Amino acid sequence: MRFTSTPRGARLARRLVSHRLAQWGYSYDSGPNETTTLIASELAANAVRHGRVPGRDFHVRLTAPLDDAPGTIRIEVSDTRTEKRPTLTAAAPDAETGRGLYLVSRLAERWAVGPRSGGGPGKTVWAEIATERAHKPGSGPGPLQRPHG
């Protein structure tokens, strides 16, 4: 999904991630939903704050297991600013910002930044969240999902 590179767009992305996971069987109060939503919030905020190019949107891709087996939820946030790559830094104790990627690094099994898929301008920051919560049987993929496997 595409979102405007604004604080409102970041809020909508966070809400859509939480809602989509609930539709896929990961209830709003489950660990996988809460963790993925927090990571989505941090990555979307970074895309708006540091990856914004006027007139360009940021994109979110969310995938989750399709079957009853445990698996990995993956969140990808892409923006169009190539030259500003995120780095993990230690924030000062009294700093009001600078902790987002630290949170992502502590909550995700893996995360990284790489080129945007399809060769477009910009970058993609992704994170994977391992889950033992089986996907709800019978619910099919939604518009933000690309099947694994």
Side-chain angles (χ1 to χ4, degrees):
M1 293 288 298
R2 279 184 4 191
F3 298 92
T4 59
S5 291
T6 63
R8 181 176 186 270
R11 282 191 309 274
L12 289 172
R14 180 191 72 234
R15 291 183 69 188
L16 181 63
V17 164
S18 182
H19 181 68
R20 180 65 56 196
L21 286 170
Q23 286 181 324
W24 291 343
Y26 301 94
S27 66
Y28 289 107
D29 60 351
S30 70
N33 191 314
E34 290 177 344
T35 300
T36 306
T37 299
L38 178 58
I39 290 172
S41 179
E42 294 298 337
L43 297 182
N46 283 351
V48 169
R49 176 173 278 188
H50 305 293
R52 183 176 185 275
V53 173
R56 301 274 177 102
D57 296 334
F58 72 93
H59 295 88
V60 175
R61 175 179 284 172
L62 180 67
T63 60
L66 288 176
D67 53 24
D68 293 339
T72 301
I73 296 172
R74 182 176 170 112
I75 178 87
E76 300 175 3
V77 177
S78 302
D79 63 55
T80 55
R81 188 166 227 175
T82 305
E83 72 279 4
K84 289 196 86 171
R85 296 180 67 84
T87 57
L88 184 60
T89 58
D94 59 346
E96 294 183 17
T97 62
R99 291 180 182 83
L101 284 180
Y102 175 75
L103 286 173
V104 170
S105 73
R106 300 300 293 172
L107 295 170
E109 296 296 317
R110 288 174 298 284
W111 75 277
V113 59
R116 232 179 135 138
S117 63
K123 64 190 168 294
T124 297
V125 182
W126 59 266
E128 293 180 340
I129 300 90
T131 177
E132 294 181 18
R133 163 75 168 88
H135 180 69
K136 183 177 178 181
S139 56
L144 289 182
Q145 187 173 16
R146 141 189 96 171
H148 283 264

